[in-house]
Amino acid sequence: MVRAKPLKYVTSTTPFLPITVVFGFLSYVGAQTSTTPDFQIPLISGNRTITVVNNCKFPVYPGFLTTNGTGPYTTGFYLDSKQRRSVWVGWDWSGRLWARTNCSFYLANATTAAKIKAVTDNFTIPDGQKLAGGCLTGDCGSAVECQLSGLAPTTLAEFTITGWQNQTYYDISLVDGYDLDMKITPSYDSPEKPRVNNTPICIASTDLSSPLSGRDLNENSLNQSFTFGTIHRWCPREMLLFASQRGRQSVFPYPDDDDPTIGGGWTPCLSACAYSNNDWDCCKGRHDKSNTCGPNLYSQRAKQVCGDAYSYAYDDYLSTFAVPSAPGDEFEVMFCPGGVSTNILKSTLGSTANVGAESSWLLITISAIVGMAVLW
């Protein structure tokens, strides 16, 4: 089992393993966005492009964290609604990115901490002042550029560029919890050339989502385990980030749909590991093996609502996507893409496919450890 190195602010880590052979078709659904150019930044030799798109109704602060190789020229920035920004990473890069939500940054007196003025991005810090503030989800401290991973709960996009057998591996991870819907679209040469069959989408909030219809409905591999009308009820109550003011005496098992005190249909959810930090939920200690750590209630619910996303640390088989690695590759990570979650891997491989593939899966796992260990 190959794992990312432990990081501060990380409640658990998600492994990358090459396991994906995907068929079918998934249409590319883009947002109407404008581009923030970075012409002053030189390209990295043999670079790959990661374009971050904010399709949410509100601004976010994307954050990047590098675990190996040549990372991007920035590790965090402001991204307004319907905006996009591209960064470049090296052929050897491994890392993660996420969105920080409900952020407020300001300059403060370095001695008294008194607020001076609010800031968003592209500012200088005068002598005698400091940057203060933070974010509700995905926070990495009082910093626009992150030096730490995001504080749970946060939806993660994870990448290993040019991994085992010259493949790029990527996934949407809910191992550290959920805070925003996400889609990852791989393409070659340009966003107009998406690589079909390999675009995972995780939709876990009715407030951020929208039903599909017409062509979009017919051309997507959809996860129908949860309907649009009940999707917001998947998070175990005690793991909701916002506590209802009505308390446990409410007649509603999930009062968030009727209780405005906890955000309506948007309910960031702590993972079981982030909530308890025990060995079983985090697959650590004596449970740091696939045969001693299985899905808990949170991961089972998360897998139902986002079939193509990681739900716990050993959820490799139906979670990891792969495409051939080549210079010029581009990956688009979109927040709040709308629509419905995909269920590509389970639809392709089947719920019982692992029964007949156990021996070959063991061989692949061993080969992956040998071939990719140097990346971590």
Side-chain angles (χ1 to χ4, degrees):
M1 180 60 60
V2 181
R3 295 171 177 266
K5 295 179 180 178
L7 301 166
K8 190 180 291 186
Y9 263 38
V10 178
T11 57
S12 60
T13 55
T14 301
F16 298 90
L17 287 178
I19 59 173
T20 309
V21 180
V22 184
F23 302 96
F25 184 82
L26 179 66
S27 64
Y28 173 78
V29 184
Q32 297 299 317
T33 57
S34 58
T35 301
T36 302
D38 293 292
F39 298 114
Q40 73 278 16
I41 306 297
L43 292 174
I44 300 171
S45 177
N47 73 290
R48 274 62 166 173
T49 300
I50 296 180
T51 298
V52 184
V53 180
N54 180 17
N55 199 43
C56 303
K57 303 173 184 176
F58 45 84
V60 297
Y61 278 81
F64 282 79
L65 189 71
T66 296
T67 56
N68 186 78
T70 304
Y73 58 82
T74 177
T75 57
F77 49 86
Y78 174 83
L79 195 62
D80 206 352
S81 175
K82 308 304 178 183
Q83 298 291 307
R84 67 170 63 218
R85 181 167 174 175
S86 296
V87 300
W88 302 286
V89 299
W91 65 270
D92 56 349
W93 184 69
S94 295
R96 56 175 54 180
L97 69 103
W98 66 98
R100 291 169 284 170
T101 69
N102 297 84
C103 299
S104 176
F105 293 106
Y106 58 91
L107 295 177
N109 185 288
T111 302
T112 66
K115 183 177 180 178
I116 298 174
K117 69 173 183 178
V119 295
T120 54
D121 206 348
N122 299 320
F123 56 85
T124 58
I125 303 178
D127 293 340
Q129 298 182 21
K130 65 179 181 179
L131 181 64
C135 304
L136 177 64
T137 65
D139 190 45
C140 63
S142 297
V144 172
E145 297 221 11
C146 292
Q147 302 302 315
L148 305 169
S149 188
L151 187 64
T154 184
T155 310
L156 299 172
E158 301 180 308
F159 291 88
T160 295
I161 307 293
T162 318
W164 183 68
Q165 290 194 338
N166 201 42
Q167 300 285 304
T168 289
Y169 304 99
Y170 59 97
D171 64 77
I172 297 174
S173 174
L174 302 181
V175 175
D176 286 347
Y178 159 85
D179 69 336
L180 278 184
D181 300 337
M182 181 183 287
K183 175 175 71 170
I184 302 177
T185 304
S187 59
Y188 183 70
D189 287 337
S190 73
E192 289 72 36
K193 299 178 182 178
R195 283 173 163 165
V196 299
N197 312 325
N198 289 309
T199 299
I201 304 174
C202 173
I203 304 294
S205 170
T206 55
D207 192 55
L208 303 177
S209 184
S210 59
L212 292 181
S213 61
R215 179 178 176 181
D216 291 336
L217 179 61
N218 295 329
E219 293 188 354
N220 277 272
S221 299
L222 304 179
N223 175 14
Q224 300 291 356
S225 299
F226 277 58
T227 67
F228 182 78
T230 60
I231 193 173
H232 62 283
R233 298 175 183 268
W234 67 274
C235 181
R237 181 189 175 98
E238 65 273 16
M239 298 177 192
L240 291 170
L241 183 63
F242 302 136
S244 172
Q245 299 303 307
R246 298 177 181 178
R248 292 182 177 272
Q249 295 180 350
S250 171
V251 297
F252 300 101
Y254 285 88
D256 50 288
D257 49 337
D258 297 313
D259 187 353
T261 62
I262 57 171
W266 184 60
T267 53
C269 184
L270 292 164
S271 68
C273 177
Y275 177 76
S276 70
N277 197 35
N278 65 45
D279 287 358
W280 165 256
D281 288 328
C282 296
C283 296
K284 63 182 182 179
R286 63 189 182 93
H287 292 290
D288 188 18
K289 296 178 181 178
S290 59
N291 62 345
T292 60
C293 188
N296 46 49
L297 176 61
Y298 164 83
S299 58
Q300 290 173 345
R301 294 276 188 86
K303 202 66 177 179
Q304 283 182 298
V305 76
C306 288
D308 284 326
Y310 261 99
S311 63
Y312 73 105
Y314 285 99
D315 189 20
D316 308 74
Y317 181 67
L318 295 176
S319 304
T320 307
F321 286 77
V323 294
S325 181
D329 278 354
E330 178 168 349
F331 295 87
E332 181 185 86
V333 176
M334 179 182 290
F335 305 120
C336 306
V340 182
S341 296
T342 55
N343 208 11
I344 302 168
L345 298 182
K346 186 175 181 180
S347 298
T348 301
L349 301 176
S351 59
T352 60
N354 59 328
V355 174
E358 290 179 351
S359 59
S360 58
W361 171 236
L362 177 61
L363 178 61
I364 291 174
T365 301
I366 295 172
S367 300
I369 294 174
V370 174
M372 294 178 63
V374 66
L375 294 178
W376 304 99

